[in-house]
Amino acid sequence: MAASSTISWDRVRRAGSKLTTPLHPDDYLRLVNPLWTSRELRGWVEKVVKETEDAATLVIRPGWGWHWDHRPGQYIGIGIQVDGKFQWRSYSVSSPTRQKGRTIAITVRAMPEGLLSSHLVNGLEPGTIVRLAAPEGDFTLPDPPPERMLFLVGGSGVTPVMSMLRTLDRRGTMPDVVMHYSSPTVDRMIFRDELLRLEEKHEGLRLHQLHTDVEGILDLADLGEICPDWKDRETWACGPAPMLDAIAGHYDELGLEDQLHLERFTLDLGGDGGEGGKLTFRNSGKEIEVDGATTILEAGERARVGMPYGCRMGICHTCTVTLVSGTIRDLRNGDEFGQPNEPVQTCVTAAVGDCTLDI
Amino acid sequence: MAISDVKEYAHLGEEEVDQLGRELDAIRAEIEESRNAEDAAYINRMIKVQRGLAAAGRIAMIAGAHSKQARRPALVAGTAMLGLAKILENMEIGHNVMHGQWDWMNDPEIHSSNWEWDTAQPAEQWKHSHNYIHHQFTNVLGHDNDIGYGVLRMAREQKWHPVNLGQPVYNALLASLFQWGVALHDLDIERIRKGEKDPTEMKRQLRQILRKGRNQILKDYVVYPALSGKQWKSTMKANATANLARNLWSYMIIFCGHFPDGALHFTEEELEDETRSEWYLRQMLGSANFEGGRTLHILSGSLGYQIEHHLFPDLPSNRYPEIAVKVRALCDKYDIPYTTGPLHRQYGQALRTIMKLSVPNSWTSSDQPEPPTPPADRHRKSDAERPSRRPELGGWSRSPRERSHD
């Protein structure tokens, strides 16, 4: 479809808002088809494919407003209503990128304590409408890819790498790739069959499997045996936190941190904290003293202000409120925000001195 | 009599009032913890029905305009559906969403911070004049601008002026132009007249009202009539009728909230050191319910449960019926009056008060249980003169759309 026709469709809807003001035409159209709205991104769960005993791939058809611009390796936010309330999580896209696709896929492993992940794997019926957040993340495949690559993958960390491999396969640009994949047992290896097929198909792709229940976890000293030229390869690592910590430490020691890309699925608020201060929640009439490590969101919740929140890791922007005055710091990267009346994300920021928020 | 101390009026000791407050807090906590998928389904269903009615109404009118045979029935049905849709949107959906009753769902599409309703007043101004001013200072003379909306004399304590002789006329005008009266409410014309209003704020508010009002008028009186071709006049009339029906209905329901006999007024002294429990008590003494079936309550935006709404403005409206059973039991237990009656009686009392108070106090008798305190000057307060907002009344934020126009 040509870009011009998309624009004119937008224009039609904008003109239509004269008929539907103060609502948008999408507010009516979504009642005809739930995907016909771009106000909040939505998706229709087309299929739930069982991958292993405890993991499933959700094939989702996104609605209007989805840009099909995700880069292989990125994650998306998914929001589902549990007991009437939207809960958000982020999952890597496992399907390859497409210019103009029809569906995207995410692969989810049910965590023992994770109510939402269990629901996604075991309870989600095809046909369910979910909310989506646009793709984000820097753990991505460069285009064109480097000539030699190394993937170090543990457990469900395979999902972003799978999107990269599928993209390389689809484009027919598979370079020299070594992939190490740790999993407790053969049965728990997500995408094992497909990886073996890809290995057979592409001369450049070599898969190294490690079953940690019997063979023990990866000893980084053995990396040279798995891949003799690992030091010359740009590396992407994704997996459980202890594995990533060990890999990051190992690369740091050898001064190779520049060629390592990491994807962590927990929020790293390791940046410099704020200095703390007094937070004033203007409309709720609440105040609280906070230190520089407490996020604005946590502080507001402690003060019993009804703070909006979503993913709680800086992805979905549901938690955005207006900072009336004062300065806050993004705990992920140290960026500071302090324009008057600036909308800010509260889940990843902390106060630098006294602040007033419009909530 | 305007009450200066709710405890004394209710013959309750400090202990008892605190206990009452704790029991009401417990009702709130119970509802907050039990909000669930069924509640979410309720508001989503309501929105679906309302938008369906609005769309069907508009389509019926346009279709009717292009078909000779079906013209009349289509026009009548279209007008009825549109009027009903506007009533539902303003009352059960818009008003309640803007109080934050559905914010707990974490759904940005049904959230107090960005809901814009189908009436002339911008949401942001409503959330200030209603959620904050009216709900926090309910029925306190000189503080609550909703006692007569600056147009009518609704308490014997408000000084009589010959201008008040025109009340029956002002009342009829207010009822039929209700959405425009509400639109100007937060602007505070009295302060503008006295030159006390901050000019930048006034300009900002006026710009908001003009922009919203223009879009509303364009929609109902230009765009849809234009789509009806030669029949533009009848579509225009039909839209005006739907707007008028919504105006009259919402006016009547709102006048049943605090103007029937038994809904009491308070003096400024009550606000001094008022505790949360005393605030609860003031809400119970200052509000009036009316009785009716489920449909009537939904069409009234659940304001037939005005007492429960004023105690818990941000709890989901579909839970008010079950809350009412508990509140009523508490009223019995503490011997607090619980004002309620059929809709026609409640409105009849409000209307009679409007008529009676158009003339000086000495010409008529009071219908409140006790004689009035001496009249005082009316004076609208600025926000600087008021205590800060209570969180349970619902948020007050500028919508993102509004922020970008600052």
Side-chain angles (χ1 to χ4, degrees), chain B residues 120-154:
Chain B
Q121 193 186 36
E124 179 199 319
Q125 294 184 31
W126 169 260
K127 284 183 277 184
H128 176 259
S129 64
H130 179 81
N131 289 7
Y132 173 42
I133 305 292
H134 170 59
H135 272 267
Q136 186 153 334
F137 306 101
T138 316
N139 280 23
V140 178
L141 292 159
H143 281 257
D144 181 0
N145 301 335
D146 281 21
I147 310 177
Y149 307 95
V151 180
L152 300 175
R153 179 174 177 252
M154 291 308 294

Side-chain angles (χ1 to χ4, degrees), chain B residues 280-313:
Chain B
Y280 271 143
L281 190 50
R282 173 157 59 84
Q283 300 304 326
M284 296 163 93
L285 295 172
S287 310
N289 283 8
F290 59 80
E291 296 153 354
R294 195 67 202 122
T295 313
L296 177 65
H297 280 303
I298 290 172
L299 289 176
S300 323
S302 300
L303 293 181
Y305 298 102
Q306 189 79 229
I307 298 171
E308 290 73 19
H309 173 57
H310 265 263
L311 290 170
F312 311 113

Side-chain angles (χ1 to χ4, degrees), chain A residues 28-213:
Chain A
Y28 289 90
L29 292 170
R30 76 164 172 84
L31 301 176
V32 180
N33 179 332
L35 298 183
W36 289 352
T37 174
S38 59
R39 271 198 63 179
E40 292 293 313
L41 294 174
R42 285 167 163 84
W44 189 76
V45 178
E46 207 168 78
K47 270 190 295 195
V48 181
V49 185
K50 204 101 183 144
E51 297 287 354
T52 65
E53 197 56 32
D54 59 353
T57 292
L58 311 182
V59 179
I60 298 168
R61 173 144 46 99
W64 288 356
W66 189 262
H67 288 303
W68 298 105
D69 56 357
H70 91 263
R71 287 174 288 151
Q74 285 192 311
Y75 51 79
I76 59 167
I78 177 165
I80 56 170
Q81 233 169 347
V82 180
D83 289 334
K85 180 172 184 166
F86 277 98
Q87 310 273 3
W88 285 83
R89 294 291 183 279
S90 299
Y91 293 101
S92 294
V93 176
S94 54
S95 53
T97 55
R98 288 181 196 284
Q99 290 280 296
K100 197 75 209 173
R102 219 181 67 87
T103 59
I104 45 162
I106 56 171
T107 304
V108 181
R109 167 158 281 158
M111 297 301 182
E113 297 284 308
L115 283 178
L116 208 67
S117 60
S118 310
H119 179 76
L120 288 172
V121 173
N122 302 314
L124 205 64
E125 296 285 334
T128 307
I129 299 294
V130 295
R131 297 279 172 95
L132 300 174
E136 289 209 42
D138 303 322
F139 186 78
T140 53
L141 179 72
D143 190 18
E147 277 172 29
R148 286 187 291 174
M149 303 171 72
L150 172 63
F151 293 121
L152 299 175
V153 168
S156 57
V158 69
T159 49
V161 171
M162 201 61 211
S163 175
M164 296 186 196
L165 289 174
R166 283 171 170 167
T167 304
L168 292 169
D169 173 50
R170 199 174 57 82
R171 291 183 186 157
T173 54
M174 187 74 73
D176 179 348
V177 178
V178 176
M179 175 173 177
H180 162 84
Y181 186 177
S182 288
S183 178
T185 64
V186 180
D187 292 341
R188 281 174 55 93
M189 279 186 103
I190 305 172
F191 303 131
R192 182 168 179 270
D193 295 345
E194 189 179 343
L195 284 168
L196 290 173
R197 264 202 313 279
L198 284 175
E199 190 185 25
E200 211 159 284
K201 180 174 167 190
H202 297 279
E203 220 167 289
L205 175 63
R206 194 155 54 79
L207 178 67
H208 175 259
Q209 305 176 49
L210 183 71
H211 303 301
T212 54
D213 272 3

Side-chain angles (χ1 to χ4, degrees), chain A residues 15-23 26-28 30-31 37-42 81-88 131 282-286 304-311 318 320-322 341 343 358-359, chain B residues 32 35-37 40 44 47-48 50-52 54-55 58 89 104-111 114-119 212 214-216 218-219 223-224 227 388-391 394-398 401 403 406:
Chain A
S17 70
K18 292 278 170 239
L19 298 172
T20 56
T21 183
L23 295 175
D26 291 8
D27 291 319
Y28 289 90
R30 76 164 172 84
L31 301 176
T37 174
S38 59
R39 271 198 63 179
E40 292 293 313
L41 294 174
R42 285 167 163 84
Q81 233 169 347
V82 180
D83 289 334
K85 180 172 184 166
F86 277 98
Q87 310 273 3
W88 285 83
R131 297 279 172 95
R282 187 169 76 173
N283 296 328
S284 322
K286 298 268 168 75
R304 296 184 61 83
V305 177
M307 304 290 287
Y309 69 89
C311 66
T318 307
T320 301
V321 301
T322 301
N341 289 317
D358 188 45
I359 184 165
Chain B
E32 279 179 345
R35 288 179 296 210
N36 59 33
N44 277 297
I47 289 171
K48 211 172 186 168
Q50 186 270 330
R51 288 183 191 165
R58 303 282 192 190
E89 201 284 337
W104 62 274
M105 298 194 301
N106 206 11
D107 182 349
E109 287 182 4
I110 311 176
H111 200 277
N114 54 15
W115 191 272
E116 194 54 75
W117 58 342
D118 184 13
T119 180
K212 178 103 190 263
R214 183 195 62 204
N215 286 340
Q216 293 289 107
L218 267 177
K219 170 178 71 168
V223 180
Y224 280 106
L227 289 176
S388 60
R389 166 197 292 260
R390 305 176 71 99
W396 173 49
S397 56
R398 295 191 180 167
R401 216 182 314 169
R403 269 184 226 130
D406 274 350

Side-chain angles (χ1 to χ4, degrees), chain A residues 221-341:
Chain A
D222 299 342
L223 214 46
E225 284 168 36
I226 299 169
C227 177
D229 60 347
W230 69 273
K231 285 181 193 166
D232 302 327
R233 287 173 182 259
E234 201 166 336
T235 305
W236 280 261
C238 186
M243 176 182 178
L244 296 185
D245 290 343
I247 293 171
H250 193 61
Y251 273 69
D252 273 354
E253 248 168 58
L254 296 167
L256 298 171
E257 62 273 14
D258 285 350
Q259 63 194 56
L260 177 65
H261 306 266
L262 283 179
E263 180 74 316
R264 289 177 188 274
F265 275 96
T266 46
L267 179 56
D268 178 20
L269 297 178
D272 288 341
E275 281 131 44
K278 189 171 74 181
L279 293 181
T280 306
F281 299 93
R282 187 169 76 173
N283 296 328
S284 322
K286 298 268 168 75
E287 287 179 357
I288 189 170
E289 287 284 342
V290 286
D291 59 32
T294 308
T295 63
I296 309 278
L297 174 61
E298 290 164 346
E301 287 175 338
R302 217 174 290 161
R304 296 184 61 83
V305 177
M307 304 290 287
Y309 69 89
C311 66
R312 303 187 80 102
M313 50 194 290
I315 296 161
C316 72
H317 294 262
T318 307
C319 66
T320 301
V321 301
T322 301
L323 175 68
V324 179
S325 66
T327 302
I328 59 164
R329 187 173 293 158
D330 191 322
L331 293 175
R332 295 169 298 179
N333 49 28
D335 287 352
E336 288 192 2
F337 303 92
Q339 299 277 322
N341 289 317

Side-chain angles (χ1 to χ4, degrees), chain B residues 247-278:
Chain B
N247 284 351
L248 294 175
W249 179 255
S250 45
Y251 150 86
M252 181 176 74
I253 296 302
I254 285 159
F255 270 54
C256 288
H258 303 283
F259 302 143
D261 301 348
L264 304 172
H265 293 114
F266 309 89
T267 63
E268 227 170 355
E269 287 79 36
E270 164 58 25
L271 289 178
E272 282 168 28
D273 306 317
E274 187 179 58
T275 63
R276 180 181 171 78
S277 302
E278 288 164 354

